[in-house]
Amino acid sequence: MAESYSAEMCSTAELCDANPSLLAKGDIRVLQPIFQMYGQCRTFSGPIVTLKVFEDNVLVREFLESSGDGRVLVVDGGGSMRCALVGGNLGQLAQNMGWAGILVNGCIRDIYEINGCDIGVRALGPHPLKSNKRGLGEKHVTVNIAGTIIHDGEWLYADSDGILISNTELSL
């Protein structure tokens, strides 16, 4: 398992403990604990690429077909629980293209396949139905996931304790 974590493998709890002023200022935000863990990497981090879609995963595929360079794709699917935005093929593609992880504010499918991929995935849950294929959505936009504002280019840190969003790369 490739565990990529730039903050010297610090846990999200340690990063919170070490940065109270950044938390107080909102430079570090903690996502609500609503996401389930999938994929081989329980711990992952990287610069964020944002995408806003609704029940359509054409742009998700488009992003994952490009070189990930250790980045994390944050997909704001509007919290839809009516179809999956990522499946096993896209999980494998993300691994092959060097993405550190994917956060989906929505559902995923092919859980067995995704759990075999050497990346980190967080999603609201599983859903067997595939998404629409219209190519609609917005790239590199500010998204709001469960009340947390996330900007393209910020940093995401995820582990078993939770998910942090930071304005900048963190270290202890």
Side-chain angles (χ1 to χ4, degrees):
M1 271 192 280
E3 302 279 328
S4 59
Y5 218 47
S6 59
E8 301 173 18
M9 297 300 286
C10 300
S11 72
T12 55
E14 289 172 319
L15 289 170
C16 286
D17 292 350
N19 294 287
S21 63
L22 294 178
L23 283 160
K25 290 191 302 186
D27 291 344
I28 296 175
R29 280 104 54 217
V30 180
L31 286 185
Q32 290 185 26
I34 58 175
F35 296 94
Q36 296 182 36
M37 289 193 294
Y38 305 97
Q40 291 288 311
C41 295
R42 296 301 190 209
T43 299
F44 64 95
S45 68
I48 293 170
V49 177
T50 58
L51 179 58
K52 187 172 188 167
V53 297
F54 188 73
E55 298 179 1
D56 184 331
N57 78 345
V58 170
L59 296 180
V60 176
R61 173 175 287 281
E62 191 177 292
F63 266 117
L64 295 177
E65 286 174 340
S66 67
S67 180
D69 298 320
R71 295 176 296 169
V72 177
L73 181 60
V74 172
V75 181
D76 182 1
S80 172
M81 303 295 275
R82 300 191 308 193
C83 67
L85 292 173
V86 174
N89 291 338
L90 293 185
Q92 188 64 50
L93 182 62
Q95 172 189 305
N96 294 345
M97 296 305 291
W99 290 85
I102 308 169
L103 172 71
V104 182
N105 185 27
C107 294
I108 63 173
R109 69 184 205 164
D110 306 323
I111 302 305
Y112 181 79
E113 293 173 38
I114 288 177
N115 282 341
C117 292
D118 196 20
I119 58 167
V121 178
R122 300 293 189 273
L124 296 178
H127 199 293
L129 185 64
K130 68 181 179 180
S131 73
N132 297 312
K133 310 286 185 213
R134 294 186 306 264
L136 303 175
E138 299 174 87
K139 305 174 187 178
H140 305 291
V141 294
T142 298
V143 296
N144 182 333
I145 295 181
T148 300
I149 302 296
I150 303 173
H151 303 281
D152 196 76
E154 292 187 307
W155 281 73
L156 183 144
Y157 297 87
D159 66 12
S160 297
D161 287 334
I163 303 168
L164 302 180
I165 304 298
S166 174
N167 289 357
T168 58
E169 185 174 5
L170 297 174
S171 59
L172 283 182

